[in-house]
Amino acid sequence: MRLLDRLDEAMVIANEAMRQARFTGDREQLLGARVRRAQVMQYQGKLDEAITELTGCVDEARAHEWTALEAFAVQNRGKAHFDAHEYEEALADVTAAVFLREKLGASPADIESSLIAVAVVQSFVDQHKDDDKGKTGA
């Protein structure tokens, strides 16, 4: 729906998925639905809301030792931080996602794609540091 620029519809569907998951009583399913709804918020440009929701998701997944959901939530929080130009926070999250995926025994292809994300974010962190040095004359 994001590619079709139908984010309002995507939010309706995301909210319905959360309601359905609540009715089943499956907290793990509900958490996955919350992460996907936070993705929609991110795509809508509601970055602060998305980051707040994803932080709650990360905390809940960690508390229940749902490592796959924790990796999913932390990776998406990293993307939201990146979109908000919070590169240090984004780097911490995408790096954490790599370690979580390694802990899960993810495929080399999945880990490789996560490592690429780390390298990209690291380049933005480095660029920002260089820009800041240029501004201060350091």
Side-chain angles (χ1 to χ4, degrees):
M1 301 211 98
R2 175 177 57 97
L3 297 175
L4 297 173
D5 197 28
R6 294 167 56 182
L7 295 175
D8 291 338
E9 288 177 65
M11 184 56 80
V12 170
I13 292 167
N15 285 328
E16 181 60 28
M18 283 184 54
R19 274 191 292 281
Q20 293 291 328
R22 272 195 192 101
F23 290 141
T24 69
D26 186 327
R27 292 182 63 194
E28 198 169 353
Q29 252 186 3
L30 176 58
L31 185 61
R34 286 176 56 204
V35 173
R36 287 184 288 282
R37 186 179 72 153
Q39 285 178 306
V40 175
M41 289 178 202
Q42 175 194 352
Y43 299 146
Q44 290 177 323
K46 299 175 183 175
L47 300 176
D48 290 338
E49 289 176 57
I51 291 167
T52 298
E53 180 68 8
L54 288 164
T55 297
C57 293
V58 169
D59 293 343
E60 185 174 346
R62 190 172 293 143
H64 292 287
E65 297 181 359
W66 295 330
T67 308
L69 276 172
E70 182 183 355
F72 182 47
V74 79
Q75 180 78 30
N76 280 287
R77 186 176 65 183
K79 291 175 186 178
H81 278 302
F82 186 85
D83 286 352
H85 305 280
E86 298 168 347
Y87 301 122
E88 294 280 348
E89 293 87 346
L91 181 60
D93 280 347
V94 295
T95 301
V98 170
F99 289 113
L100 289 167
R101 287 194 171 103
E102 286 176 339
K103 178 180 175 181
L104 285 168
S107 72
D110 286 343
I111 292 172
E112 178 67 22
S113 69
S114 294
L115 288 171
I116 291 169
V118 169
V120 168
V121 176
Q122 182 67 58
S123 72
F124 276 81
V125 169
D126 294 344
Q127 180 63 44
H128 254 326
K129 285 180 183 177
D130 291 344
D131 290 348
D132 290 344
K133 285 180 185 178
K135 289 177 187 174
T136 61

